[in-house]
Amino acid sequence: MNLEDLRQLRRARDVMDRDYAEPLDVPALARVALMSPGHFSRSFRAAYGETPYSYLMTRRVERAKALLRRGDLSVTDVCFEVGCTSLGSFSTRFTELVGESPSAYRARSHGPGEPIPACVAKFLLRPVRNGEAKAPGRP
């Protein structure tokens, strides 16, 4: 993969990071990366080790976790707030990445993690699929 392709993929990834709540799909992201949808999907997976959809859903679940910790929104409201259109799909993906349902996550106490700086919390609390290898130094 050449550097120009990586630069274009990073542009698309930045759009997912910034606009995760918008209705993003592979053709739209491929346009940002100036690639065909098929080439974009294959290149993204090769560069980042996951599909564009998986990356986007991980961003959405990260944001959903923060909203659920606040406790002032329902799971349904959080689902739509982070850009998901199906509560069932959101709950399934959330459970897959976090290891518990959004309702269970919302219901439990989150007090001890509050003083952790956001940059550390983002690394430590990033959702990963059950069974995936964990990063070094990660619980």
Side-chain angles (χ1 to χ4, degrees), residues 45-66:
R45 185 177 186 112
Y48 299 113
E50 62 185 327
T51 66
Y53 175 77
S54 180
Y55 184 86
L56 178 60
M57 285 304 295
T58 300
R59 297 290 78 70
R60 288 176 172 172
V61 168
E62 283 176 349
R63 182 63 182 142
K65 286 174 66 176

Side-chain angles (χ1 to χ4, degrees), residues 4-49:
E4 181 60 22
D5 281 352
L6 288 172
R7 189 175 71 75
Q8 298 297 7
L9 290 171
R10 191 172 39 245
R11 282 182 57 201
R13 190 183 66 177
D14 289 346
V15 166
M16 287 187 267
D17 289 340
R18 183 184 60 243
D19 300 331
Y20 62 87
E22 299 299 318
L24 299 172
D25 59 10
V26 168
L29 293 167
R31 283 191 297 277
V32 170
L34 305 175
M35 298 177 179
S36 71
H39 181 66
F40 171 73
S41 291
R42 287 187 301 276
S43 298
F44 192 94
R45 185 177 186 112
Y48 299 113

Side-chain angles (χ1 to χ4, degrees), residues 32-119:
V32 170
L34 305 175
M35 298 177 179
S36 71
H39 181 66
F40 171 73
S41 291
R42 287 187 301 276
S43 298
F44 192 94
R45 185 177 186 112
Y48 299 113
E50 62 185 327
T51 66
Y53 175 77
S54 180
Y55 184 86
L56 178 60
M57 285 304 295
T58 300
R59 297 290 78 70
R60 288 176 172 172
V61 168
E62 283 176 349
R63 182 63 182 142
K65 286 174 66 176
L67 293 172
L68 290 167
R69 280 194 300 270
R70 285 187 357 203
D72 60 342
L73 296 173
S74 70
V75 172
T76 303
D77 291 338
V78 169
C79 168
F80 295 122
E81 183 75 22
V82 298
C84 294
T85 56
S86 165
L87 181 59
S89 296
F90 168 74
S91 294
T92 299
R93 187 63 171 204
F94 188 98
T95 302
E96 178 184 305
L97 291 172
V98 178
E100 63 185 324
S101 71
S103 298
Y105 184 83
R106 182 177 183 268
R108 71 177 169 83
S109 173
H110 298 283
E114 291 175 11
I116 298 174
C119 59

